[in-house]
């Protein structure tokens, strides 16, 4: 192998580039490295076995090309390297933080033991065998249920106990009782 070809292969082993195009259906990207635009290449994912993940790169994202033998046609795209276009969203070492394109944030603070999700839209949980929440729950908004509601303790609404309230003016027959006290 001549020295020029060897130098080219060594130069291509590991390169930085920017995602130029994405084919989500084929799970391939084209990467711009200076004047070079690669062929369609696969990108690395977190998991690709029995447990699988989907979090595709975005156009403009800085990535690393790993090219076995220096052949860019056989390269794998390793996301991701922060850049001026996509800077680090937080600098707190106690946070694991995901920032979504629509502004949604999912974050865990392992120092404060706090999970936070700020969503611009809605959230759904489907658990046919149930959901259990241990700890105090505060709902800041309307609560709507479509099924039976049960409680093992008293329910208090606007200071009136469901279990211990008394009514006034109770009469037999079709008369209505007075309001709870």
């Amino acid at each position: 192998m001549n020295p020029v070809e060897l130098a080219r292969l060594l130069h291509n082993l590991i390169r930085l580039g920017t995602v130029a195009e994405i084919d989500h259906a084929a799970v391939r990207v084209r990467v711009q490295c200076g004047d070079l635009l690669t062929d369609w290449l696969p990108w690395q994912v977190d998991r690709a076995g029995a447990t699988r993940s989907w979090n595709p790169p975005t156009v403009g994202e800085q990535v690393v090309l790993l090219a076995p033998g220096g052949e860019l046609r056989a390269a794998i795209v390793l996301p991701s390297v922060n850049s001026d276009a996509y800077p680090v969203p937080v600098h707190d070492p106690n946070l694991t933080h995901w920032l979504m394109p629509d502004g949604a944030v999912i974050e865990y603070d392992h120092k404060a033991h706090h999970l936070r999700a700020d969503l611009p839209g809605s959230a759904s949980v489907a658990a046919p065998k149930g959901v259990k929440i241990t700890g105090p729950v505060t709902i800041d908004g309307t609560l709507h249920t479509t099924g039976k509601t049960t409680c093992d303790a008293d329910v208090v609404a606007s200071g009136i106990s469901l279990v211990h309230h008394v009514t006034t003016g109770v009469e037999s027959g079709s008369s209505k009782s007075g309001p709870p006290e």
Side-chain angles (χ1 to χ4, degrees), residues 52-176:
R52 292 166 287 189
S53 61
W54 175 254
N55 190 5
T58 55
V59 170
E61 185 172 348
Q62 188 169 291
V63 296
V64 175
L65 290 174
L66 179 59
E71 288 296 335
L72 287 176
R73 288 183 304 254
I76 298 170
V77 179
L78 309 175
S80 193
V81 180
N82 290 110
S83 65
D84 290 340
Y86 293 100
V88 176
V90 295
H91 292 92
D92 187 334
N94 298 305
L95 298 180
T96 299
H97 182 96
W98 294 274
L99 173 61
M100 311 304 169
D102 65 353
V105 171
I106 300 172
E107 175 180 274
Y108 183 70
D109 184 331
H110 55 90
K111 183 176 182 185
H113 313 292
H114 180 74
L115 176 65
R116 176 175 71 100
D118 290 336
L119 310 175
S122 61
S124 297
V125 175
K129 294 187 178 182
V131 175
K132 179 179 181 181
I133 299 173
T134 301
V137 176
T138 300
I139 298 172
D140 186 7
T142 301
L143 174 64
H144 172 80
T145 64
T146 59
K148 182 172 108 176
T149 302
T150 62
C151 182
D152 294 337
D154 194 6
V155 175
V156 178
S158 296
I160 299 170
S161 165
L162 183 63
V163 173
H164 301 290
H165 78 274
V166 293
T167 55
T168 58
V170 176
E171 297 179 14
S172 297
S174 62
S175 297
K176 295 181 180 179

